[in-house]
Amino acid sequence: MAITTFAAIDLGSYEVSMKVFEISKKAGLREVDYIRYRMDLGKDTYSQRHLGGERLQELCKVLEGFREIMEGYRVQDYRVCATSAFRELENPSITLEQIYRRTGMKVEILSSSEQHFLGYKSIAAIETGFKKMIQKGTAIVDVGGGSTQISLFDKDTLVTTQNLRIGSLRIRERLRNLMKETTHYDQLIAEYIRNELIVFERLYLKDRNIKNVILLGDFLQDIIFREKLTDWIITKEEFNERYEQLVYKTADSLALEMDIPSEYASLVVPMMVIYKNIIDLFGAEAIWAPGVSLADGIAYDYGEKHKILKTNHNFENDILVAARNIGKRFSSGKNHIQGTTNLALMIFDGMKKIHGMGARERLLLQIAVLLHDCGKYISMTNVAECSYNIIRYTEIIGLSQQEQKIIANVVRYNREDFADFEEVSRQEGLDKESYLLIAKMVAILRLANAMDRSHYQKVEALRAVIRDDELHVIVDSSKDVSLELGLLKDKLAFFETIFGIRPVIKRKRKR
């Protein structure tokens, strides 16, 4: 039985941790070791937006220690991920370069959507319970040091996911001085987060019936119950009882009770208040605390991408549903979007040998098509720029910041003149590979979009085949497509410039 030894390293807001796993097709994901080191990285970055020299040196020593442990386990591959503490650095590239020079480790800063998508995957590793629970209205609530992510599911489908800038460490730092002046610290926190929750409820809950809440967060089970939970289930009464036991105690007394440092214990009350207020907001019937971490999600993602682990849940579809819901929010035309998506994907699939793009790029193209008209909701005359801004600054679960930049620029240049590499690089910080990817997607999107210029979905079928150094696009339609074919000239010229192959449009009239 082939076994892969993999290490997942999480540079969190107040803890640096590493889990070592054995991954195999037969046994699945098995945790071998879990090493944790308390370090308040977020304490510097949330207030000063930089990592102090001593803190950076300490982090590098910890990572060097992790490397030695990995060598002892003969780890074959690893991934180092940083979250909100690094996202808020003023100049993260410099810090990442220093870490790499000192340790040889490349640190990947996860976007908020990537981080919580991996957290969501960590739950999926517990396949049976997760699959069963999300059949009903379910919310995944992930409380970190810097932010809280709420993802809503219904009938096995992701409905929406939103990031709220209320995390345990951020709240502690913001209210540190006020904490000494009140006897009701929990009420103070509840007031502080109230507006965020009211806005979330008004925009995203509406008539949704949330039966279950899945709780994620650092050292969650250690705080709620010291003993192992039965099937990871907590009743609302049990949660409230534990809440009452914790929130009125000082950090020092909590530290003594839980055998953790006082600085660490000071995060317990903010975290519990966030959970309670969200649970009360939903009026949930069941609370599930699976006790998994980001590291579990990192390992699960690795096993899935390397085809070691199989899942019954379609994670790619979750990303598409999230994008589709953004399109609905901004009133994108459903029929035109569907028609253009079909055309774009048929063109993409018909010329794989030419464009050299893979499954991930196909997904990004699909999202670009879904959102290419979303800016019309704001302005009918400045669609490109408005669409760009919506995509750049709206969280789409599962996508990195770079991927969102790529999609946003594909949508922008679907309408605007295509910019040269120097301009795109200066504005977006993208490399040449990303620039060329944008160009390819723009060429395909322009062609597909022009074929439904009238928004009547006249093209009923399309086939793209390569013949004699030409891309033959055979269009099936029983309707008059004179407008669509007549406006293709400039789109075909750009397409040929990008791919170096001449597209020839042929019509096959249906009877």
Side-chain angles (χ1 to χ4, degrees), residues 13 18 46 58 94 99 200 260 358 364 371 374 386 390 424:
S13 298
M18 178 175 74
Y46 296 146
E58 182 184 8
I94 293 175
I99 293 172
F200 176 82
I260 56 176
L364 299 184
L371 299 177
C374 63
C386 292
I390 288 171
V424 174

Side-chain angles (χ1 to χ4, degrees), residues 192-216:
Y192 181 75
I193 67 176
R194 181 173 178 271
N195 186 58
E196 293 277 348
L197 296 182
I198 287 175
V199 173
F200 176 82
E201 180 183 23
R202 178 169 55 83
L203 293 178
Y204 303 106
L205 274 188
K206 297 181 180 178
D207 297 325
R208 297 199 183 282
N209 189 14
I210 305 299
K211 295 287 187 183
N212 308 308
V213 175
I214 302 174
L215 303 182
L216 295 181

